[in-house]
Amino acid sequence: QNNLALYPRTASLKDEEEFTDILEERRCTTDLGYALRTFNPQPYKGAPSSSTSDLKKAVLESQYLRYIAKEIALETGSSVEKVRQEARGILEEMSHNLQLGFIRLMAYTVNKVFKRLFRSIYVNMEGLNMLQQAIQESPVILMPNHRSYVDFLIVSFILFTYDIPIPVIAAGIPLASMKVVGEILRRSGAFFIRRAIGSDKLYWAVLSEYVRTIVRTGCAPLEFYVEGFRSRTLKSVVPKLGMMDMVLEPYFKGEVFDITLVPISISYDRVVEESLLALELLGVPKPKESTTGLFKASRVLQEDYGCMHVNFGRPLSVRQLCEGKINRSEYNLIPRDLPQRPSTEIQDCVNWVAHLIVRTQEEGSLISPWSLMACLLLQAPITTLTEEGLQWHGLTEKTLWLRKLVLDFRGRLNWPDSDVMSSTVALHHSIVHHKAGRVCLVQDGDPASQDPLSPEEGVMRTAAAVLMLVSYRNQALHVFVRPGILATAIHITKSTQKDELFSFFCFLRDVFANEFIFIPGRASQDFDEACSLLQKCGAVHMSEQEVTVLETGLEVLSFLQKLLQPFLDSYQLIFRYLCENGAHVFTEKQFLPAVQNLATKLILSGDLHTFEVLSSDTQKNVLSALRRLEAVTKLRASQQNEYKVNKAAVRRTGDILCKIICDIPVKIKLLFCVRLENFVLFFTLLSLK
Amino acid sequence: MCHTFPALTSDRSSRICSLLYKHGSSMASNSSGSDSSDRQRIAQQRLSVIAGHLQRPVEGNSGILAAECKAQGDKLDVSSERRTVPRRRQEIMKWNGWGYSDSKFLYNKKGQAEFTGKRYRLSGMIIPGLREWMESTFGANLQHKTPAAPILNSSAVQPPTLNEAFLKELKSTGIPFSHDAEDRVFRSHGHCLHEIFALREGKIGRVPDLVVWPNCHNDVVKIVELACKHNVCLMPYGGGTSVSSALECPPEETRSIVSLDTSQMNRILWIDEKNLTAHVEAGIVGQDLERLLNESGYCTGHEPDSMEFSSLGGWVATRASGMKKNIYGNIEDLVVHIKMVTPQGVIEKSCQGPRMSTGPDVHHFIMGSEGTLGVVTEVTMKIRPMPEYQKYGSVVFPNFEMGVACLREVARQRCAPASIRLMDNEQFKFGHALKPQVSSIFTSFLDGLKKFYITKFKGFDPNRLCVATLLFEGDREKVLQHEKQVYDIAAKFGGLAAGEDNGQRGYMLTFVIAYLRVVLGFKYTLVLDICRNVKARIVRECKDKGVQFPPLSTCRVTQTYDAGACVYFYFAFNYRGLSDPVHVYEQVEHAAREEILANGGSLSHHHGVGKLRKEWMRETISSVGMGMLRSVKDYVDPNNIFGNRNLL
């Protein structure tokens, strides 16, 4: 059953060869002719052709919404009619209004823009064929990753081109408020969800009934980003479960026979908003989505963004995924129209499916040569990068070495031809420039006003460039994470005992669970995978009890360990900040700049070698990790995200990372009150030593 | 005949025709415009109807009543002497299939499907559409036949394990018994697919060691006493129509197994016309009970699909349900008084009152006990004057969803006719395939016209439309009024009245595609989902298990309740190319049942649990519930004399 869930590995190379450039054909025909082509998709077989107004009516008149409306009226003391009126308003704001005419308009525009932006858009035809078939059998959920605004309409564009029903797409409400564009998106199938819904019961009810009705009737495929938002770091984001819950519920309640999930991996050679992302991560606020902003951004149209790959994954049957994991009869005793809190069994299953999808997206995405170069560039000292530059020859050689490692690790590569490296560096001229056999980091800013730059501003300027590199490195990270964590565990523990390594592996996996995607409950499989990959590339030798490092493997291990070092350093620094900072209670607003200040100071003094801790994403991840480990708790009563820190717990977590890193012999007592059983196991092992 | 499909192979087909005949005739009585006051004449007509489709009992079975039940010999026996079920049932019925030996489907020399025998109206007729339907639905054709073992090979039957002491004392009571191989094999099975399949292949497992034929309650008391004394395992046997493996002998049973055949306890002992009850021996089969009551102008109205062969005691023991329960009620509503012989003695209530508030109703320990506690010997049932008027009807709906919505509304208004059933599209098509050859050009022209009207003029999609069949009963005026009310509701849901003929054909279908007879109670909200999911699951499972042709996977809503409905699922597949079709069938059926339970269906609506569905009992009634049943069993039958191991 489980090998159905993940890509059959053997097929991956074959798929790779079957990517077709869909822009090639577009360039030969007129845009208008394309937009007006006959569009005659085969819908889901049982689906009645229902209009948008039918859908809205079904939602509003659902037993579920009636029930919730009554409940809310009772709680708030207002009349049921008023609540229902409010629900109607919410639905109006939310609902899509898919119209073929606008699909054509969308296709026309998108076609024009894409032809300008990209050299090619590669799509795997086999995946499309499977999708086409799946759509006729059961309701389909399209689940792309989200790396750029550009991919918002790419799936609709491809499906229009290949005569497959156009999806309705979950989008953030800010898009709706854009003049004209918002309405065009709405008519191209977007529906809009407010951010931070919190505890607005009515909103949740309307949204969930709306989503469930779409799935139940199968009137159109549903597209949503399981990661919840655009990844600013180009790294996969831990999935959000709200939408996933709603989508799967019709299956759990037996309202549909099955649901098909189609993970879609979209990879870019170069992301359109790369510099914006880096600035945003450094705390420069993101420009509000507006139509005028969109026009201003039209200068991006002048640039070359290389190729885009859209990889449609194998359709996954929810029925098969959930088999043996859940017992659906828990829904039998309460009318299915009424809200029912799912059991932890169901919640765990939803969480598992969501993680599985993100992992599948990762495995389906293509790694570009540039990502590998970014990995290597980031391991060079920062002064080398900013000043004299890195030797081109050495870099290319090392990149080829890394290419082989990726292939050993069964990653999917996008490696078009031999000249690839210089062309890729040329494509990314905004980040690095290659001159006289050396590669340097490009630092933004006016050369004229270079002098009055303060040291702090200098750090931020370098950081912006580094973070761009970081995000491209992140595109390749998923291939290296598991062996990387094992390499780190070997490095830190200096142990060869398999079980000891395993418990440290689990510890790291747990600490970094907000940073990388780990499928819950698969720790031992992840460990086995890491072991077998390291063995495969000749880095370690495995026996029943032991993992021994081979001479030939030092290069691989050191590369992997250095790859993850920035994460360890960043976490360590933030732990330190939390322990040394006087207050026990802090707000997110205080926390982020304070960490940034501390980090800037340490970078300037040469005590900190990573810029990644400056990224608000990293900072937030650490906070989430600590909350998950119950070392930090969010204060419920507070309005402005106040947190309470348990310094002892944070310090202990840090100690494990730090003290062992520094090779100080430790005898940590079993005082740890943090949730992790792994710790306990690990400490027991240590104190036995 | 082409034996490629379990569903149609045998012999169930004979039942199709029985219904055709019966319903057809009662129709005739309607159209003759019978006068409502003339009850006697109606009774006569109905009698002739039933007599028509029942073969006269085979002569030469004089042994049946040889051993008179002395205790009751002088009591009034209001019933006539004609009986359907002889002791040697194999003389008129198939030993390895359903129904009478002389009635079956064949492909004739021209390759057309034909029905043999003389018992039924369809007998000797050609059914032109059937072959094409089978070929297009299953990919079955004439070249692929699987012949059945023609006669029972007695040497394949294990010699009986006899308890000599028990046998000796039994002989002294004068109660007839037999350990003839044919008699024993006949009582070793019900009508589950795997049971019939094994018989057709000549495979015979554990069978009862002895068959006894008690003639009355007191005989049963004697037999049970002897069985307790000599530690013999007793398995009550009524009509033998079980579809829950309830009659299968537990292979682990080492004691001598005695099959207690109740068929000779078949008299109506008295009729109370003032209180409208009848006291009947529990071995009587449905058709005899109705026939005998009809002679006096009464009926029970309990008409399960198996009523030709199933017995009153069996209905009680399995909590049976009849087609016309909307008017007459299910068995639990019909029963007033039960007498059961258990190892601890006889259980019965002290009066024939219609209702008591005396703690939990002990009848509910008996109803559904499936032969694990004792033998039901006598039952007092409610009876009703025979309805003066019957009318069939049918409604075509554009799709199944609309049909279900209409049934819901009909039940909500509590105006359900005697029977209302909704067939899905697949069954509607099957019903069409079973139309006999039409005699005149005019009829076929009319059919064409009707089809044109519905599909072209009204725009119904022939691949989505579905049909509800209706049966109204009562006095003429009320029936017509009632009919109008139901058709008016149907019209609100897009239903078009589609004539009496379609209705009749719908009822005959009940008896045709029989194999996956999973019957369950559902809530209305679930009906649509469950129908779709279970059908889809069956198709998917068949595909996974290597069935080459898409299976027939279809369902029918057969009963409506205030708070739910009963749905039948059927499936049939062409097993060509499968090495173990029975196993595939069982796997698919198992999967279907899991799907039903996962979707909020019940384990069984009226077929009972038997051994087939035992594994889901705890899940269904909770551990405490199991404990309650267990403790009743432990008290009533501590030595497991009634050792058929059903239910628990």
Side-chain angles (χ1 to χ4, degrees):
Chain A
Q1 294 293 330
N2 275 339
N3 50 10
L4 277 173
L6 289 168
Y7 271 89
R9 308 270 190 179
T10 47
S12 63
L13 279 176
K14 199 178 129 252
D15 289 350
E16 239 172 279
E17 287 155 10
E18 283 173 13
F19 278 97
T20 309
D21 179 9
I22 62 165
L23 284 188
E24 198 177 303
E25 204 192 321
R26 295 282 72 75
R27 293 192 204 280
C28 308
T29 56
T30 67
D31 295 341
L32 200 62
Y34 163 70
L36 294 177
R37 64 190 290 278
T38 34
F39 180 61
N40 192 18
Q42 285 288 311
Y44 168 49
K45 64 178 173 192
S49 52
S50 61
S51 67
T52 320
S53 59
D54 289 344
L55 177 65
K56 281 195 264 189
K57 202 172 146 209
V59 172
L60 278 177
E61 285 175 9
S62 67
Q63 208 55 243
Y64 175 75
L65 218 56
R66 281 170 196 279
Y67 179 85
I68 295 283
K70 248 184 232 165
E71 232 180 41
I72 290 173
L74 212 67
E75 282 164 17
T76 59
S78 68
S79 76
V80 175
E81 199 32 58
K82 219 169 148 192
V83 177
R84 288 178 61 78
Q85 197 58 44
E86 205 181 319
R88 199 165 294 129
I90 293 173
L91 191 60
E92 282 306 321
E93 174 197 274
M94 180 186 306
S95 172
H96 76 85
N97 187 13
L98 189 61
Q99 289 172 359
L100 185 58
F102 281 84
I103 293 292
R104 293 187 190 284
L105 176 65
M106 177 278 295
Y108 178 80
T109 336
V110 167
N111 186 25
K112 272 223 179 297
V113 172
F114 282 2
K115 280 202 295 195
R116 180 60 80 61
L117 287 177
F118 298 106
R119 295 179 200 165
S120 323
I121 297 178
Y122 289 105
V123 178
N124 65 328
M125 284 302 144
E126 201 196 339
L128 263 188
N129 291 338
M130 287 190 288
L131 170 65
Q132 189 147 32
Q133 211 174 348
I135 275 186
Q136 281 162 55
E137 280 165 15
S138 51
V140 164
I141 314 298
L142 300 167
M143 304 176 77
N145 53 3
H146 197 10
R147 298 291 172 265
S148 161
Y149 277 131
V150 171
D151 49 45
F152 188 72
L153 287 172
I154 182 69
V155 175
S156 304
F157 172 68
I158 295 171
L159 298 194
F160 175 74
T161 311
Y162 289 94
D163 246 7
I164 299 173
I166 301 292
V168 296
I169 314 167
I173 201 89
L175 282 179
S177 53
M178 289 165 77
K179 280 179 209 117
V180 189
V181 176
E183 196 51 35
I184 291 177
L185 289 179
R186 192 185 288 275
R187 290 176 190 222
S188 309
F191 66 94
F192 300 99
I193 305 174
R194 288 184 199 160
R195 297 260 179 246
I197 304 166
S199 55
D200 187 342
K201 195 168 163 185
L202 186 63
Y203 194 87
W204 271 115
V206 175
L207 174 63
S208 59
E209 186 60 26
Y210 182 73
V211 170
R212 284 192 301 247
T213 310
I214 291 172
V215 176
R216 227 182 274 143
T217 57
C219 52
L222 178 73
E223 179 182 336
F224 79 98
Y225 301 109
V226 69
E227 294 166 300
F229 49 81
R230 195 162 47 101
S231 166
R232 267 60 165 169
T233 57
L234 303 191
K235 187 153 53 80
S236 297
V237 180
V238 173
K240 303 284 171 290
L241 303 181
M243 193 74 172
M244 196 76 215
D245 256 333
M246 298 172 202
V247 162
L248 296 184
E249 202 183 281
Y251 169 72
F252 294 146
K253 288 191 169 178
E255 293 167 327
V256 292
F257 177 68
D258 199 356
I259 294 173
T260 305
L261 307 179
V262 180
I264 302 172
S265 317
I266 302 173
S267 347
Y268 296 91
D269 281 356
R270 185 181 169 200
V271 176
V272 176
E273 52 268 70
E274 53 182 15
S275 58
L276 278 179
L277 290 179
L279 291 177
E280 210 181 307
L281 288 174
L282 288 173
V284 182
K286 114 175 172 186
K288 195 172 177 295
E289 287 95 341
S290 71
T291 310
T292 44
L294 189 74
F295 283 115
K296 273 187 204 150
S298 59
R299 78 182 164 88
V300 303
L301 293 179
Q302 315 305 323
E303 290 270 335
D304 176 6
Y305 292 93
C307 301
M308 176 179 185
H309 280 81
V310 184
N311 188 1
F312 286 86
R314 264 166 57 98
L316 302 173
S317 149
V318 172
R319 176 173 279 267
Q320 272 170 25
L321 290 179
C322 297
E323 204 175 303
K325 286 201 151 54
I326 52 159
N327 182 0
R328 289 184 290 157
S329 58
E330 71 176 69
Y331 290 103
N332 286 344
L333 294 179
I334 295 178
R336 293 179 185 213
D337 299 325
L338 300 192
Q340 183 182 355
R341 218 189 147 67
S343 64
T344 47
E345 191 186 46
I346 297 265
Q347 286 171 1
D348 290 349
C349 181
V350 170
N351 186 31
W352 178 81
V353 169
H355 277 83
L356 184 82
I357 295 291
V358 179
R359 275 292 292 135
T360 314
Q361 286 171 352
E362 285 188 340
E363 295 198 354
S365 59
L366 274 83
I367 296 165
S368 67
W370 175 241
S371 296
L372 302 187
M373 293 172 106
C375 290
L376 295 166
L377 286 168
L378 281 168
Q379 296 195 1
I382 188 67
T383 44
T384 319
L385 278 185
T386 50
E387 284 155 28
E388 69 263 35
L390 203 66
Q391 277 216 329
W392 172 250
H393 182 66
L395 179 64
T396 52
E397 211 145 85
K398 196 81 200 245
T399 308
L400 286 175
W401 171 84
L402 194 51
R403 172 175 185 260
K404 202 187 143 289
L405 188 64
V406 170
L407 289 176
D408 274 346
F409 286 177
R410 293 176 295 211
R412 287 162 166 253
L413 273 172
N414 156 30
W415 204 277
D417 50 50
S418 54
D419 192 29
V420 60
M421 273 182 275
S422 38
S423 72
T424 201
V425 167
L427 184 68
H428 292 279
H429 60 86
S430 58
I431 305 176
V432 290
H433 62 89
H434 170 207
K435 213 159 64 185
R438 298 204 163 251
V439 186
C440 302
L441 204 59
V442 173
Q443 297 190 55
D444 218 11
D446 299 320
S449 60
Q450 213 165 9
D451 297 326
L453 216 59
S454 72
E456 284 78 14
E457 283 170 321
V459 168
M460 287 313 243
R461 208 175 59 139
T462 314
V466 170
L467 286 187
M468 280 202 263
L469 264 187
V470 163
S471 55
Y472 286 106
R473 173 206 67 190
N474 286 346
Q475 286 186 314
L477 217 46
H478 62 92
V479 180
F480 300 118
V481 161
R482 272 145 277 265
I485 286 190
L486 181 57
T488 307
I490 293 173
H491 177 76
I492 294 175
T493 60
K494 305 271 184 278
S495 167
T496 56
Q497 293 302 306
K498 211 171 175 182
D499 41 5
E500 198 178 327
L501 286 172
F502 177 61
S503 47
F504 202 76
F505 181 90
C506 293
F507 163 68
L508 289 174
R509 191 178 176 272
D510 228 337
V511 171
F512 292 123
N514 293 73
E515 211 67 53
F516 314 113
I517 305 299
F518 299 109
I519 296 176
R522 279 214 187 161
S524 63
Q525 284 100 317
D526 281 348
F527 182 72
D528 291 345
E529 189 190 322
C531 290
S532 81
L533 292 180
L534 283 186
Q535 193 176 20
K536 193 175 163 200
C537 69
V540 295
H541 172 73
M542 310 277 302
S543 69
E544 199 59 13
Q545 303 289 330
E546 296 205 348
V547 180
T548 36
V549 176
L550 298 174
E551 196 68 20
T552 50
L554 289 176
E555 193 181 7
V556 173
L557 291 178
S558 123
F559 165 78
L560 291 172
Q561 182 260 320
K562 278 190 194 156
L563 191 68
L564 297 190
Q565 193 61 46
F567 294 96
L568 286 154
D569 289 348
S570 305
Y571 275 55
Q572 207 55 261
L573 179 91
I574 295 172
F575 291 168
R576 204 177 117 193
Y577 164 78
L578 285 175
C579 294
E580 288 170 3
N581 177 35
H584 282 271
V585 176
F586 60 91
T587 66
E588 205 174 299
K589 265 191 189 144
Q590 298 164 338
F591 171 71
L592 298 181
V595 170
Q596 219 167 49
N597 276 342
L598 177 65
T600 313
K601 265 183 217 144
L602 289 173
I603 290 171
L604 283 172
S605 69
D607 290 327
L608 184 67
H609 303 288
T610 176
F611 286 77
E612 289 180 47
V613 70
L614 295 172
S615 153
S616 60
D617 183 71
T618 311
Q619 295 159 3
K620 284 175 186 162
N621 283 344
V622 177
L623 210 52
S624 311
L626 287 175
R627 280 183 66 193
R628 190 164 39 77
L629 301 174
E630 290 165 18
V632 166
T633 40
K634 193 170 183 175
L635 295 178
R636 282 207 144 249
S638 88
Q639 289 288 314
Q640 339 155 284
N641 292 339
E642 272 185 315
Y643 297 93
K644 186 170 185 294
V645 58
N646 175 351
K647 292 195 178 187
V650 174
R651 185 168 295 122
R652 282 186 209 109
T653 315
D655 279 353
I656 304 175
L657 289 174
C658 156
K659 287 189 180 164
I660 303 171
I661 291 169
C662 307
D663 246 358
I664 300 165
V666 266
K667 283 260 190 247
I668 304 170
K669 288 172 207 157
L670 297 176
L671 285 172
F672 226 124
C673 55
V674 178
R675 187 180 54 92
L676 302 172
E677 311 86 277
N678 298 327
F679 281 4
V680 178
L681 180 60
F682 178 65
F683 292 138
T684 322
L685 285 167
L686 276 181
S687 46
L688 286 177
K689 241 167 117 180
Chain B
M1 114 145 233
C2 166
H3 291 309
T4 324
F5 343 79
L8 286 172
T9 32
S10 42
D11 312 322
R12 286 240 160 204
S13 353
S14 57
R15 298 168 67 206
I16 312 168
C17 314
S18 86
L19 253 270
L20 247 193
Y21 187 88
K22 187 175 88 190
H23 294 165
S25 306
S26 23
M27 281 285 312
S29 80
N30 301 333
S31 50
S32 69
S34 60
D35 194 335
S36 59
S37 63
D38 194 357
R39 179 189 287 182
Q40 198 57 39
R41 196 162 59 87
I42 298 161
Q44 281 301 324
Q45 272 173 348
R46 187 162 166 100
L47 195 58
S48 70
V49 166
I50 289 167
H53 83 250
L54 299 173
Q55 191 68 332
R56 215 173 294 138
V58 174
E59 310 297 336
N61 258 314
S62 48
I64 298 174
L65 293 173
E68 278 259 17
C69 195
K70 287 170 189 102
Q72 301 190 340
D74 52 349
K75 275 199 180 172
L76 172 70
D77 179 2
V78 291
S79 56
S80 70
E81 291 302 303
R82 282 174 294 135
R83 287 295 185 274
T84 305
V85 186
R87 256 166 37 199
R88 288 185 60 79
R89 300 184 188 213
Q90 55 272 35
E91 283 166 2
I92 61 162
M93 294 178 205
K94 291 186 187 120
W95 68 277
N96 62 355
W98 182 272
Y100 297 110
S101 316
D102 57 8
S103 305
K104 57 189 170 196
F105 272 109
L106 280 178
Y107 277 134
N108 64 19
K109 282 173 193 146
K110 288 184 201 158
Q112 288 169 310
E114 187 183 329
F115 192 64
T116 66
K118 288 186 183 139
R119 288 171 190 275
Y120 306 111
R121 200 175 69 164
L122 200 64
S123 297
M125 284 182 108
I126 286 168
I127 306 146
L130 186 61
R131 184 178 169 191
E132 191 200 324
W133 178 83
M134 282 185 140
E135 286 175 3
S136 64
T137 313
F138 297 106
N141 67 45
L142 283 173
Q143 271 73 56
H144 305 280
K145 297 185 187 183
T146 316
I151 48 161
L152 174 63
N153 178 3
S154 301
S155 63
V157 184
Q158 279 180 354
T161 316
L162 296 174
N163 182 321
E164 294 300 337
F166 172 81
L167 207 58
K168 201 173 148 220
E169 286 204 50
L170 183 65
K171 265 181 198 157
S172 69
T173 62
I175 299 169
F177 63 89
S178 157
H179 47 75
D180 169 68
E182 283 186 21
D183 287 334
R184 288 162 53 218
V185 169
F186 201 100
R187 286 156 188 84
S188 67
H189 65 85
H191 284 270
C192 288
L193 175 110
H194 66 101
E195 294 172 318
I196 296 302
F197 215 89
L199 291 177
R200 296 179 75 85
E201 302 212 316
K203 289 182 194 148
I204 290 154
R206 179 84 159 98
V207 306
D209 301 299
L210 193 74
V211 181
V212 291
W213 287 273
N215 276 300
C216 62
H217 172 78
N218 285 350
D219 283 357
V220 176
V221 173
K222 281 179 211 156
I223 294 168
V224 173
E225 270 170 13
L226 289 179
C228 292
K229 187 171 166 194
H230 300 288
N231 195 21
V232 163
C233 172
L234 283 181
M235 285 180 61
Y237 182 92
T241 56
S242 149
V243 286
S244 59
S245 301
L247 292 169
E248 238 171 56
C249 295
E252 67 271 33
E253 182 59 69
T254 52
R255 297 173 294 181
S256 178
I257 299 179
V258 175
S259 179
L260 191 152
D261 185 329
T262 59
S263 62
Q264 307 312 308
M265 299 170 31
N266 52 19
R267 288 162 300 185
I268 294 179
L269 298 176
W270 47 256
I271 292 175
D272 179 345
E273 299 200 48
K274 284 186 184 150
N275 290 303
L276 288 178
T277 55
H279 191 67
V280 190
E281 285 185 315
I284 194 164
V285 295
Q287 57 167 315
D288 286 354
L289 178 62
E290 283 308 285
R291 177 166 51 80
L292 297 173
L293 285 175
N294 288 174
E295 283 171 9
S296 318
Y298 294 101
C299 66
T300 63
H302 185 70
E303 290 186 18
D305 296 346
S306 60
M307 72 174 291
E308 275 181 295
F309 306 105
S310 60
S311 70
L312 171 56
W315 301 338
V316 171
T318 57
R319 298 181 64 88
S321 168
M323 176 179 101
K324 299 195 282 196
K325 72 98 191 144
N326 292 339
I327 293 185
Y328 301 96
N330 287 322
I331 194 74
E332 65 273 20
D333 310 310
L334 287 165
V335 163
V336 175
H337 184 267
I338 304 173
K339 202 189 251 185
M340 177 163 82
V341 182
T342 76
Q344 289 283 17
V346 176
I347 174 175
E348 64 178 319
K349 290 184 186 173
S350 66
C351 67
Q352 301 270 5
R355 186 175 189 274
M356 293 184 191
S357 173
T358 49
D361 190 342
V362 290
H363 280 173
H364 284 286
F365 289 126
I366 299 170
M367 284 188 286
S369 61
E370 304 193 3
T372 58
L373 299 178
V375 188
V376 177
T377 53
E378 287 170 19
V379 176
T380 308
M381 274 183 100
K382 295 178 193 168
I383 54 173
R384 297 287 306 160
M386 285 176 61
E388 110 190 14
Y389 189 67
Q390 266 196 325
K391 191 170 183 191
Y392 286 95
S394 64
V395 182
V396 183
F397 291 98
N399 55 45
F400 194 66
E401 290 77 7
M402 297 291 255
V404 171
C406 173
L407 259 60
R408 164 72 276 193
E409 184 58 22
V410 166
R412 203 179 67 79
Q413 296 193 18
R414 289 211 174 147
C415 64
S419 169
I420 177 164
R421 291 175 167 182
L422 182 71
M423 294 187 279
D424 69 358
N425 183 265
E426 289 84 350
Q427 274 189 46
F428 166 75
K429 286 182 185 159
F430 181 50
H432 255 266
L434 274 181
K435 249 184 177 172
Q437 199 163 36
V438 284
S439 40
S440 74
I441 293 175
F442 181 67
T443 333
S444 74
F445 173 73
L446 266 184
D447 281 349
L449 212 61
K450 269 189 249 167
K451 196 176 161 191
F452 178 81
Y453 175 72
I454 286 179
T455 59
K456 295 289 183 306
F457 190 72
K458 281 288 174 183
F460 284 22
D461 177 352
N463 291 316
R464 298 197 63 181
L465 60 81
C466 75
V467 176
T469 57
L470 310 165
L471 171 61
F472 298 92
E473 238 180 55
D475 67 57
R476 193 184 152 83
E477 227 164 87
K478 277 194 187 142
V479 163
L480 295 177
Q481 205 183 334
H482 192 178
E483 192 187 15
K484 186 175 178 305
Q485 187 186 5
V486 172
Y487 283 137
D488 285 349
I489 294 173
K492 281 188 209 147
F493 295 90
L496 292 175
E500 297 181 30
D501 182 53
N502 272 320
Q504 249 178 285
R505 201 164 43 245
Y507 283 96
M508 121 196 144
L509 245 172
T510 309
F511 306 97
V512 183
I513 29 173
Y515 269 41
L516 179 67
R517 307 193 60 147
V518 189
V519 185
L520 313 124
F522 296 113
K523 292 158 82 178
Y524 280 100
T525 45
L526 304 180
V527 168
L528 286 177
D529 292 331
I530 221 159
C531 291
R532 182 195 48 247
N533 291 354
V534 174
K535 278 156 70 178
R537 175 80 180 258
I538 289 170
V539 172
R540 187 175 282 190
E541 290 287 333
C542 282
K543 205 167 140 196
D544 290 352
K545 303 288 180 296
V547 177
Q548 294 176 357
F549 295 91
L552 173 70
S553 172
T554 163
C555 69
R556 190 150 55 93
V557 182
T558 61
Q559 289 291 10
T560 61
Y561 289 88
D562 287 352
C566 165
V567 182
Y568 260 69
F569 289 96
Y570 300 88
F571 87 96
F573 59 85
N574 181 342
Y575 64 77
R576 207 161 85 219
L578 297 178
S579 59
D580 188 355
V582 175
H583 186 60
V584 170
Y585 166 85
E586 281 169 352
Q587 284 177 315
V588 176
E589 187 186 3
H590 192 272
R593 190 160 284 120
E594 303 248 276
E595 188 65 30
I596 287 160
L597 293 176
N599 282 277
S602 69
L603 189 53
S604 174
H605 173 262
H606 62 255
H607 285 160
V609 174
K611 288 179 269 291
L612 194 64
R613 294 180 262 273
K614 252 164 86 166
E615 62 176 293
W616 290 283
M617 270 298 272
R618 187 172 297 277
E619 193 183 321
T620 303
I621 64 167
S622 83
S623 291
V624 179
M626 286 291 275
M628 285 178 171
L629 296 187
R630 186 79 250 168
S631 62
V632 170
K633 167 79 178 173
D634 288 346
Y635 169 74
V636 174
D637 183 16
N639 297 319
N640 197 27
I641 296 301
F642 288 90
N644 59 18
R645 296 179 200 249
N646 290 337
L647 205 58
L648 288 173

